[in-house]
Amino acid sequence: MSATADPTPLDRLAAVIESRLPARGGDPEKSYIARLLHKGPDAFLKKVGEEATEFVMAAKDAEHGGDRQKLVNEAADLWFHCMVALAHYGLSPRAVIAELERREGTSGLDEKALRKARETAPH
């Protein structure tokens, strides 16, 4: 983010999440975020999995006439819990945005093939 740009909602949320990190004095008695972070990766990664499943279920429901707003709500929950995980690992939404920008203009099929080639290449 440049010095002149206003913080986005993701930037503001990331700042709140970072302020709740145990190293920054996040109090698990006063904050849901601090409680998740205090419990460690098993807790917040479980929430990421739960929210991903709820997102999939909401998408399936929306496909059959269900409430599309529920899909948005579940996406927000999933993004939030992913942001908690990113903060734990010292990353921010900006890192994800930078990766999406890096991929911009690249065929999804080409990107997938490149990742697969990297994974199978001898180290």
Side-chain angles (χ1 to χ4, degrees):
M1 183 172 66
S2 73
T4 59
D6 289 331
T8 68
L10 283 178
D11 294 326
R12 291 190 298 272
L13 179 56
V16 169
I17 292 169
E18 288 171 18
S19 76
R20 304 301 198 271
L21 288 164
R24 299 229 176 133
D27 185 348
E29 296 297 318
K30 296 181 181 176
S31 164
Y32 171 74
I33 297 167
R35 187 175 314 138
L36 271 180
L37 290 165
H38 180 76
K39 288 180 179 179
D42 285 349
F44 58 75
L45 294 175
K46 180 179 177 185
K47 286 301 295 181
V48 169
E50 288 172 6
E51 298 302 342
T53 299
E54 290 172 9
F55 175 81
V56 169
M57 293 168 58
K60 293 295 234 173
D61 288 347
E63 188 66 25
H64 299 286
D67 182 3
R68 293 165 53 106
Q69 182 60 44
K70 185 166 183 181
L71 183 58
V72 171
N73 296 349
E74 295 302 341
D77 290 347
L78 178 57
W79 286 17
F80 170 81
H81 287 90
C82 286
M83 289 175 67
V84 170
L86 287 168
H88 172 80
Y89 295 107
L91 299 166
S92 75
R94 289 282 168 192
V96 177
I97 291 167
E99 176 60 15
L100 291 171
E101 288 173 338
R102 185 192 68 76
R103 294 179 186 186
E104 190 173 5
T106 302
S107 157
L109 295 174
D110 291 344
E111 176 68 24
K112 187 173 180 179
L114 181 58
R115 278 191 308 233
K116 188 170 186 169
R118 284 186 196 136
E119 290 170 4
T120 59
H123 298 286

